[in-house]
Amino acid sequence: MTAQISRRSTLKIAGIAGGAVGLGIGTGMAATPASAAGGAFAHPGLLHTEADLARMAAKVKAGAQPYTAGFARLTANRHAQSGWKANPQATVTRGGTGQNYVILYNDIHAAYQNGLRHHITGESAYADTAVAILNDWSAKLTSLAGNADRFLAAGLYGYQIANAAELVRDHPDFELDRFQEMLSGVFAPLSDDFLVRHNGAVVTNYWPNWDLANMACVLATGIFCDDKTQVARAVDYFKNGEGLGAVKKAIPVVHDDGLAEWLEAGRDQGHALLGVGLMGTFCEMAWNQGIDLYGYDDNRFLKGAQYVAKWSVGGEVAYTANTRAKGAINGWSGRETASDAAGVDPNMTRPIWAMIANHYTNRRGLDASYVTRIAAKAAPEGGGGDYGPNSGGFDQLGFGTLAFTRDKATAAEASASPSASTAASGSGSGATSKKGTSSASPSPSASAQGGRGEDLAATGTSDFPAWTAAGGVAALAGGLLLLRRRNRAGVRSES
């Protein structure tokens, strides 16, 4: 099948052996992943821990704001209704002929929203609905196909479906082993391979959100399948990866005002918001396993999020001209310069800010004025289906006002290692993936390498009008560039 390559990739990682490593946190304290101490990851432990879910349920039951406003957005969403019937496909295609990926992301969001609603209300009908959706997909899905956008499908829908399943992994009817096989055999191989080979392109051809989506899938799969090596690879890529999703490349310059420019701000607002949301998701999942990437490199992500928050509401921000190599290895190549931050629509929003604001201000006790302001403006955050019908409105699972609002931590709690709270919030038990011991490198395939004359960097072409604002990339309206490999006649076409 198209995506059936080994999930073990030869990511270029430094200083990691066996997956059990000490990982530094932003305060200089040592944080040890929960897996290293207990032999397995804390479950539930992706975007939501047991303590998080208990907090949501208690606050909603007590009628506390803003939780009830966030819960009202959940219950009003058509995806959050029990009885949703899945429409599983053997092959999901994103990009090119025969696209059907809309089916997958709608079903994933229905599973996630029903799972979340179950934890808050205790009503079994919602858990049963989520389990039925996930079981139907794990029984049928065998491959992901399409042009380069198949890597976006692997990354985005891989991390999302893992989060939906994490909410019901202990349900007696949930087919855990089969679901782990699907994550390991269909989603993770493409994401792993993308982070190594970048679809045969030069490493900077793809903007940060491509790496970040696939990093999120690798991390979520590793946690869900209790695979410490997979998690270690994802974390190391965040710190040291060669692609633009690594934190110091996605956020390349820290300015004197304490804000750090987001590389994709030179492209367009929609993709910059996507990247911030994905990096926040990555950091939150890592945090819930005792790994502080939020604080890595002196809170670099906070500085980047503050920059994007200020810029997104129309504030003036500095931008350092950035020239990016693009094209295919041993094929057509060129260079492109983003010379200024793109124009913005102050009304454009995505449900990404509550999670980030609550981490830095309430969990860590830091100042995040721009992020706090934009989170308040976006509240109460909705989820998939509340931000338009196109895939951009489903790139985040959402409902952050409900899920991530938290009381302000005490000074002692704010300075504590994340592993301490993780130990209290998760059971530490979980099944081991049947594929967890594989160590083979991925074999070349048309799916992984794009060797069929497909788009090299077709970035969500069907959804682009819903995403873009005025562009800042030199000579490119809206900042979108679609590159195609040379065809057999040696002619490069662009669209």
Side-chain angles (χ1 to χ4, degrees):
M1 60 187 173
T2 305
Q4 190 64 45
I5 60 176
S6 168
R7 65 187 284 256
R8 282 287 181 263
S9 294
T10 54
L11 284 180
K12 297 176 181 178
I13 59 177
I16 290 182
V21 293
L23 297 158
I25 68 172
T27 60
M29 300 172 64
T32 303
S35 58
F41 292 103
H43 298 294
L46 289 175
L47 283 175
H48 313 302
T49 66
E50 186 177 350
D52 292 335
L53 296 166
R55 180 186 67 248
M56 294 178 225
K59 294 288 190 179
V60 170
K61 184 177 180 180
Q65 290 288 8
Y67 301 90
T68 53
F71 185 60
R73 293 216 70 177
L74 175 65
T75 58
N77 194 300
R78 72 182 185 91
H79 296 80
Q81 311 310 312
S82 63
W84 179 285
K85 300 298 182 185
N87 183 16
Q89 307 291 307
T91 298
V92 167
T93 301
R94 177 166 177 166
T97 304
Q99 291 192 123
N100 62 350
Y101 67 105
V102 173
I103 297 170
L104 175 59
Y105 68 65
N106 275 281
D107 279 357
I108 290 172
H109 283 257
Y112 173 76
Q113 291 179 28
N114 271 273
L116 196 58
R117 192 167 179 178
H118 160 70
H119 279 282
I120 294 166
T121 66
E123 295 179 46
S124 61
Y126 300 112
D128 293 344
T129 296
V131 167
I133 295 168
L134 297 166
N135 283 349
D136 284 351
W137 276 96
S138 68
K140 189 163 185 178
L141 183 65
T142 59
S143 63
L144 302 175
N147 59 25
D149 283 6
R150 69 194 180 279
F151 293 108
L152 292 177
L156 292 169
Y157 310 138
Y159 95 76
Q160 290 179 357
I161 202 168
N163 270 277
E166 186 78 348
L167 293 174
V168 295
R169 68 180 294 137
D170 293 330
H171 192 288
D173 296 332
F174 178 57
E175 296 287 349
L176 176 62
D177 289 349
R178 191 173 74 199
F179 190 89
Q180 288 177 320
E181 291 289 329
M182 180 184 69
L183 272 182
S184 301
V186 178
F187 292 96
L190 279 174
S191 290
D192 269 332
D193 191 85
F194 183 83
L195 296 176
V196 176
R197 302 179 192 175
H198 289 88
N199 194 32
V202 296
V203 71
T204 57
N205 183 78
Y206 291 95
W207 291 92
N209 74 84
W210 288 77
D211 269 4
L212 287 164
N214 287 288
M215 289 158 61
C217 176
V218 173
L219 179 63
T221 300
I223 294 169
F224 192 90
C225 297
D226 290 307
D227 185 335
K228 291 184 284 189
T229 303
Q230 189 89 338
V231 170
R233 289 207 306 275
V235 170
D236 185 76
Y237 197 95
F238 177 90
K239 297 178 178 181
N240 304 307
E242 294 185 4
L244 296 181
V247 65
K248 293 180 184 179
K249 294 173 182 173
I251 310 171
V253 180
V254 178
H255 294 288
D256 291 341
D257 62 1
L259 303 184
E261 71 186 55
W262 192 267
L263 181 67
E264 220 152 350
R267 182 188 185 191
D268 63 69
Q269 183 185 9
H271 287 97
L273 292 174
L274 170 60
V276 170
L278 288 170
M279 188 172 285
T281 293
F282 190 89
C283 290
E284 184 70 17
M285 293 190 296
W287 175 275
N288 286 334
Q289 298 301 332
I291 307 165
D292 185 4
L293 300 179
Y294 276 119
Y296 180 71
D297 193 33
D298 193 26
N299 296 303
R300 194 179 192 96
F301 176 50
L302 170 60
K303 296 169 186 176
Q306 285 270 85
Y307 176 100
V308 173
K310 180 181 180 182
W311 166 67
S312 288
V313 297
E316 291 291 329
V317 292
Y319 191 87
T320 305
N322 180 280
T323 299
R324 181 176 66 95
K326 60 188 182 182
I329 296 172
N330 299 321
W332 181 87
S333 63
R335 300 180 75 79
E336 172 185 82
T337 297
S339 58
D340 201 357
V344 299
D345 174 1
N347 295 315
M348 181 182 286
T349 188
R350 288 290 183 267
I352 63 175
W353 296 110
M355 176 174 63
I356 301 167
N358 273 278
H359 172 80
Y360 286 113
T361 63
N362 288 339
R363 194 189 259 158
R364 279 318 215 191
L366 302 175
D367 177 66
S369 57
Y370 296 114
V371 168
T372 302
R373 204 172 308 159
I374 200 170
K377 182 181 178 182
E381 290 180 353
D386 292 326
Y387 298 88
N390 293 326
S391 63
F394 290 81
D395 285 342
Q396 285 82 34
L397 290 167
F399 302 105
T401 305
L402 168 66
F404 300 109
T405 300
R406 60 186 74 247
D407 295 331
K408 197 169 187 67
T410 66
E413 290 169 337
S415 62
S417 160
S419 57
S421 59
T422 301
S425 65
S427 63
S429 63
T432 300
S433 168
K434 292 178 181 177
K435 296 213 172 196
T437 58
S438 171
S439 60
S441 297
S443 58
S445 71
S447 172
Q449 295 303 311
R452 298 171 301 188
E454 301 284 10
D455 284 2
L456 181 63
T459 312
T461 57
S462 62
D463 293 328
F464 182 69
W467 271 96
T468 187
V473 177
L476 293 170
L480 177 68
L481 177 68
L482 303 183
L483 301 176
R484 295 186 184 275
R485 288 184 182 276
R486 292 186 178 193
N487 60 25
R488 292 187 180 182
V491 177
R492 176 178 58 84
S493 61
E494 294 186 15
S495 59

